[in-house]
Amino acid sequence: MSAAPNKKRMAITAGVVVAAVAGMAGLAAAAAPLYDAFCKLTGYGGTTQEAAAAPGQVLDRRIEVRFDSNVAPGLPIEFEPKQISQTLRIGETGLAFYTVRNLSDQPVVARATYNVTPHEAGQYFAKLECFCFQDRLIGPGEAAELPVVFFVDPEIASDLNTAEIGTLTLSYTFFRSTDQSAAETAS
């Protein structure tokens, strides 16, 4: 003869299962923001840092910063750096410009993301001003110059993983923003 199921035990098991599923859903929802925070904090994956001020130290050693631009498929814009590269002393503030132009007859809302290669150097590349991670409304046929003010932290020279790096590449990619409401009201 089989024993009758214990209702209390079944209720506890159901509660544990529901809590586990809710916990996994919560972790899944938090994964992207936590990953972004981790990358910004550590420079993982070439994620650059944001800074409020340039460092007080400027080294004699020079480093070349190359500029790259990309556009997501289907986005009707032209996007390119105004300069191919710039050589500056480590710790010195640099200024570079990118040009964006809407090639269509409709307004476009787009957003730029960035990274630095080699990835190990991302934590030492800091931006004081940047056009990235902000939606930008670009009118039909409109063109704009977008500045980025940056420096390479002198700490790059004392890190064994990055001490020999002589060239960095700052790469931006423009994507269509998920929020197109500004383009719809501009039409």
Side-chain angles (χ1 to χ4, degrees):
M1 205 157 140
S2 72
N6 183 335
K7 289 188 180 194
K8 185 176 180 182
R9 182 182 274 168
M10 288 176 60
I12 290 171
T13 302
V16 168
V17 169
V18 167
V21 169
M24 287 189 287
L27 286 174
L34 288 174
Y35 181 74
D36 286 344
F38 171 77
C39 289
K40 285 181 181 179
L41 181 66
T42 64
Y44 180 76
T47 302
T48 65
Q49 305 299 304
E50 293 180 24
Q57 178 185 21
V58 177
L59 305 180
D60 287 333
R61 182 174 149 206
R62 296 188 170 275
I63 194 162
E64 179 184 17
V65 178
R66 293 182 182 162
F67 303 99
D68 178 51
S69 62
N70 302 283
V71 177
L75 185 61
I77 66 167
E78 182 178 80
F79 176 56
E80 59 190 15
K82 290 197 67 137
Q83 59 286 306
I84 294 172
S85 68
Q86 191 176 103
T87 301
L88 57 143
R89 295 185 310 166
I90 294 176
E92 182 179 17
T93 301
L95 171 64
F97 288 93
Y98 282 77
T99 302
V100 63
R101 179 183 325 277
N102 183 346
L103 302 174
S104 75
D105 60 356
Q106 297 293 317
V108 171
V109 179
R111 178 179 292 215
T113 61
Y114 59 85
N115 74 339
V116 169
T117 52
H119 295 303
E120 301 82 16
Q123 63 185 319
Y124 300 109
F125 190 95
K127 296 180 287 67
L128 295 166
E129 183 181 329
C130 181
F131 55 89
C132 50
F133 290 122
Q134 300 169 13
D135 284 351
R136 174 171 292 279
L137 175 64
I138 310 165
E142 180 184 357
E145 286 192 3
L146 309 174
V148 58
V149 180
F150 64 93
F151 63 88
V152 178
D153 192 313
E155 293 294 317
I156 196 171
S158 59
D159 183 334
L160 295 177
N161 294 317
T162 58
E164 299 301 318
I165 293 174
T167 303
L168 302 174
T169 301
L170 175 62
S171 181
Y172 284 95
T173 302
F174 252 110
F175 294 93
R176 186 178 302 273
S177 174
T178 55
D179 181 5
Q180 291 292 310
S181 58
E184 293 164 6
T185 56
S187 295

